[in-house]
Amino acid sequence: MTTQQVSDAELAGQPAAYWTGVAYEALIAYTRARQAEKGYTQPQFWLLRNLSANDISPDGEGMTLPELRKAMASYIRPEDDLAAEAEALLERGRLTQDAEGRLWLTPEGEQARVDLARNAPAIRAALHEGIDDADYVTTVKVLQQLIRNAGGAVA
């Protein structure tokens, strides 16, 4: 397969939405493949994180699946089946479920969250290979401005 050389002027005229979409899909696929090699899924990790008082959860209180879906609305993918992912975590003893359907993180689930979080730096390092921090910061700032220009909110 050959790579077509495109001039900077030609690149400047290409649609950002195309390239951000291609980048998003490639980055998600890479991240999920590395996580699968370690025996877990990205949605499972998100469930653990959202239920941990030591991570995203403000209070460590249990949450229902609808509450978790709402909490993850900005990053969950349409194909992610939180019910199936939660069931897998329940079977592994990483979550428990009360009579009201609230999911709770177990001590084993908290340890799994800590262990799984250790994979993130290696994934980041592989994705950032050959990109210096200054270029990365510039790219993020450009993307943020594109978002603002499109009427979106930048967190």
CSV table of all heavy atoms in Angstrom, one decimal, residues 44 47-48 51 68 82 85-97 103-106 108-109:
chain,number,residue,atom,x,y,z
A,44,GLN,N,-16.2,-1.9,31.0
A,44,GLN,CA,-16.0,-2.5,32.3
A,44,GLN,C,-15.2,-1.5,33.2
A,44,GLN,O,-15.5,-1.3,34.3
A,44,GLN,CB,-15.4,-3.8,32.3
A,44,GLN,CG,-16.3,-4.9,31.7
A,44,GLN,CD,-15.6,-6.2,31.5
A,44,GLN,OE1,-14.4,-6.4,31.6
A,44,GLN,NE2,-16.4,-7.2,31.1
A,47,LEU,N,-17.2,1.4,34.2
A,47,LEU,CA,-18.1,1.1,35.3
A,47,LEU,C,-17.4,1.1,36.6
A,47,LEU,O,-17.9,1.7,37.6
A,47,LEU,CB,-18.8,-0.3,35.1
A,47,LEU,CG,-19.9,-0.3,34.0
A,47,LEU,CD1,-20.2,-1.8,33.6
A,47,LEU,CD2,-21.1,0.4,34.5
A,48,LEU,N,-16.3,0.5,36.7
A,48,LEU,CA,-15.5,0.5,37.9
A,48,LEU,C,-15.1,1.9,38.3
A,48,LEU,O,-15.2,2.3,39.5
A,48,LEU,CB,-14.2,-0.4,37.8
A,48,LEU,CG,-14.4,-1.9,37.5
A,48,LEU,CD1,-13.1,-2.5,37.2
A,48,LEU,CD2,-15.1,-2.5,38.6
A,51,LEU,N,-18.0,4.0,39.8
A,51,LEU,CA,-18.5,3.5,41.1
A,51,LEU,C,-17.5,3.7,42.2
A,51,LEU,O,-17.8,3.4,43.3
A,51,LEU,CB,-19.0,2.0,40.9
A,51,LEU,CG,-20.2,1.8,40.1
A,51,LEU,CD1,-20.5,0.4,39.8
A,51,LEU,CD2,-21.5,2.5,40.7
A,68,LEU,N,-25.8,5.1,35.5
A,68,LEU,CA,-24.5,5.0,35.0
A,68,LEU,C,-24.5,5.4,33.5
A,68,LEU,O,-23.5,6.0,33.0
A,68,LEU,CB,-24.0,3.5,35.1
A,68,LEU,CG,-23.6,3.2,36.6
A,68,LEU,CD1,-23.6,1.7,36.8
A,68,LEU,CD2,-22.2,3.8,36.9
A,82,LEU,N,-24.0,-1.9,28.6
A,82,LEU,CA,-23.6,-1.8,30.0
A,82,LEU,C,-24.2,-2.9,30.8
A,82,LEU,O,-23.6,-3.3,31.8
A,82,LEU,CB,-24.0,-0.4,30.6
A,82,LEU,CG,-23.2,0.8,30.2
A,82,LEU,CD1,-23.6,2.0,31.0
A,82,LEU,CD2,-21.7,0.5,30.4
A,85,GLU,N,-21.9,-5.8,30.4
A,85,GLU,CA,-20.6,-5.5,31.0
A,85,GLU,C,-20.7,-5.6,32.5
A,85,GLU,O,-19.8,-6.1,33.2
A,85,GLU,CB,-20.1,-4.1,30.5
A,85,GLU,CG,-19.9,-4.0,29.0
A,85,GLU,CD,-18.8,-4.8,28.5
A,85,GLU,OE1,-18.1,-5.5,29.2
A,85,GLU,OE2,-18.6,-4.8,27.2
A,86,ALA,N,-21.8,-5.0,33.1
A,86,ALA,CA,-22.0,-5.1,34.5
A,86,ALA,C,-22.2,-6.5,35.0
A,86,ALA,O,-21.7,-6.9,36.0
A,86,ALA,CB,-23.2,-4.3,34.9
A,87,GLU,N,-22.9,-7.3,34.2
A,87,GLU,CA,-23.1,-8.8,34.5
A,87,GLU,C,-21.8,-9.5,34.6
A,87,GLU,O,-21.5,-10.3,35.5
A,87,GLU,CB,-24.0,-9.4,33.5
A,87,GLU,CG,-24.4,-10.8,33.8
A,87,GLU,CD,-25.2,-11.0,35.1
A,87,GLU,OE1,-26.0,-10.1,35.5
A,87,GLU,OE2,-24.9,-12.0,35.9
A,88,ALA,N,-20.9,-9.2,33.7
A,88,ALA,CA,-19.6,-9.8,33.7
A,88,ALA,C,-18.8,-9.4,35.0
A,88,ALA,O,-18.1,-10.3,35.6
A,88,ALA,CB,-18.8,-9.4,32.5
A,89,LEU,N,-18.9,-8.2,35.4
A,89,LEU,CA,-18.3,-7.7,36.6
A,89,LEU,C,-18.9,-8.3,37.8
A,89,LEU,O,-18.2,-8.6,38.8
A,89,LEU,CB,-18.2,-6.2,36.7
A,89,LEU,CG,-17.4,-5.5,35.6
A,89,LEU,CD1,-17.6,-4.0,35.6
A,89,LEU,CD2,-15.9,-5.8,35.8
A,90,LEU,N,-20.2,-8.5,37.8
A,90,LEU,CA,-20.9,-9.2,38.9
A,90,LEU,C,-20.4,-10.6,39.1
A,90,LEU,O,-20.2,-11.1,40.2
A,90,LEU,CB,-22.4,-9.1,38.7
A,90,LEU,CG,-23.1,-7.8,38.9
A,90,LEU,CD1,-24.5,-7.8,38.3
A,90,LEU,CD2,-23.3,-7.5,40.4
A,91,GLU,N,-20.3,-11.3,37.9
A,91,GLU,CA,-19.9,-12.7,37.9
A,91,GLU,C,-18.4,-12.8,38.5
A,91,GLU,O,-18.1,-13.8,39.1
A,91,GLU,CB,-20.0,-13.3,36.5
A,91,GLU,CG,-21.4,-13.5,36.1
A,91,GLU,CD,-21.5,-13.9,34.6
A,91,GLU,OE1,-20.5,-14.1,33.9
A,91,GLU,OE2,-22.6,-14.0,34.1
A,92,ARG,N,-17.6,-11.8,38.2
A,92,ARG,CA,-16.2,-11.8,38.7
A,92,ARG,C,-16.1,-11.4,40.1
A,92,ARG,O,-15.0,-11.3,40.7
A,92,ARG,CB,-15.4,-11.0,37.8
A,92,ARG,CG,-15.2,-11.5,36.4
A,92,ARG,CD,-14.2,-10.6,35.6
A,92,ARG,NE,-14.2,-10.9,34.3
A,92,ARG,CZ,-13.6,-10.2,33.3
A,92,ARG,NH1,-13.0,-9.0,33.6
A,92,ARG,NH2,-13.5,-10.6,32.1
A,93,GLY,N,-17.2,-10.9,40.7
A,93,GLY,CA,-17.2,-10.5,42.1
A,93,GLY,C,-16.6,-9.1,42.2
A,93,GLY,O,-16.3,-8.6,43.3
A,94,ARG,N,-16.6,-8.3,41.1
A,94,ARG,CA,-16.1,-6.9,41.2
A,94,ARG,C,-17.2,-5.9,41.5
A,94,ARG,O,-16.9,-4.8,41.9
A,94,ARG,CB,-15.4,-6.6,39.9
A,94,ARG,CG,-14.1,-7.4,39.8
A,94,ARG,CD,-13.4,-7.2,38.5
A,94,ARG,NE,-12.1,-8.0,38.5
A,94,ARG,CZ,-11.4,-8.2,37.4
A,94,ARG,NH1,-11.7,-7.6,36.3
A,94,ARG,NH2,-10.3,-8.9,37.5
A,95,LEU,N,-18.4,-6.4,41.3
A,95,LEU,CA,-19.6,-5.5,41.7
A,95,LEU,C,-20.6,-6.4,42.4
A,95,LEU,O,-20.6,-7.6,42.3
A,95,LEU,CB,-20.3,-5.0,40.4
A,95,LEU,CG,-19.5,-4.1,39.5
A,95,LEU,CD1,-20.4,-3.7,38.3
A,95,LEU,CD2,-19.1,-2.8,40.2
A,96,THR,N,-21.4,-5.8,43.2
A,96,THR,CA,-22.6,-6.4,43.8
A,96,THR,C,-23.8,-5.5,43.4
A,96,THR,O,-23.6,-4.4,42.9
A,96,THR,CB,-22.5,-6.5,45.3
A,96,THR,OG1,-22.4,-5.2,45.9
A,96,THR,CG2,-21.3,-7.3,45.8
A,97,GLN,N,-25.0,-6.1,43.5
A,97,GLN,CA,-26.2,-5.4,43.2
A,97,GLN,C,-27.2,-5.6,44.3
A,97,GLN,O,-27.4,-6.7,44.8
A,97,GLN,CB,-26.8,-5.9,41.9
A,97,GLN,CG,-27.9,-5.1,41.3
A,97,GLN,CD,-28.2,-5.5,39.9
A,97,GLN,OE1,-28.1,-6.7,39.5
A,97,GLN,NE2,-28.7,-4.6,39.1
A,103,LEU,N,-25.8,-0.8,41.5
A,103,LEU,CA,-24.5,-1.6,41.5
A,103,LEU,C,-23.5,-0.9,42.4
A,103,LEU,O,-23.5,0.3,42.5
A,103,LEU,CB,-23.9,-1.5,40.1
A,103,LEU,CG,-24.8,-2.3,39.0
A,103,LEU,CD1,-24.4,-1.9,37.6
A,103,LEU,CD2,-24.7,-3.8,39.3
A,104,TRP,N,-22.8,-1.7,43.1
A,104,TRP,CA,-21.8,-1.3,44.1
A,104,TRP,C,-20.4,-1.9,43.8
A,104,TRP,O,-20.4,-3.1,43.5
A,104,TRP,CB,-22.2,-1.7,45.5
A,104,TRP,CG,-23.5,-1.0,45.9
A,104,TRP,CD1,-24.8,-1.4,45.6
A,104,TRP,CD2,-23.6,0.2,46.7
A,104,TRP,NE1,-25.7,-0.6,46.2
A,104,TRP,CE2,-25.0,0.4,46.9
A,104,TRP,CE3,-22.7,1.0,47.3
A,104,TRP,CZ2,-25.5,1.5,47.6
A,104,TRP,CZ3,-23.2,2.1,48.0
A,104,TRP,CH2,-24.6,2.4,48.1
A,105,LEU,N,-19.4,-1.2,44.0
A,105,LEU,CA,-18.1,-1.6,43.8
A,105,LEU,C,-17.7,-2.5,45.0
A,105,LEU,O,-17.9,-2.1,46.2
A,105,LEU,CB,-17.1,-0.4,43.7
A,105,LEU,CG,-15.7,-0.7,43.2
A,105,LEU,CD1,-15.7,-1.3,41.8
A,105,LEU,CD2,-14.9,0.7,43.2
A,106,THR,N,-17.1,-3.6,44.8
A,106,THR,CA,-16.6,-4.5,45.9
A,106,THR,C,-15.1,-4.1,46.1
A,106,THR,O,-14.5,-3.5,45.3
A,106,THR,CB,-16.7,-6.0,45.5
A,106,THR,OG1,-15.8,-6.2,44.4
A,106,THR,CG2,-18.1,-6.4,45.2
A,108,GLU,N,-12.7,-6.1,45.7
A,108,GLU,CA,-12.1,-6.8,44.5
A,108,GLU,C,-12.2,-5.9,43.3
A,108,GLU,O,-11.3,-5.8,42.5
A,108,GLU,CB,-12.6,-8.2,44.2
A,108,GLU,CG,-12.4,-9.2,45.3
A,108,GLU,CD,-13.3,-9.1,46.5
A,108,GLU,OE1,-14.3,-8.3,46.5
A,108,GLU,OE2,-13.1,-9.8,47.5
A,109,GLY,N,-13.4,-5.2,43.2
A,109,GLY,CA,-13.6,-4.3,42.1
A,109,GLY,C,-12.7,-3.1,42.1
A,109,GLY,O,-12.2,-2.6,41.1
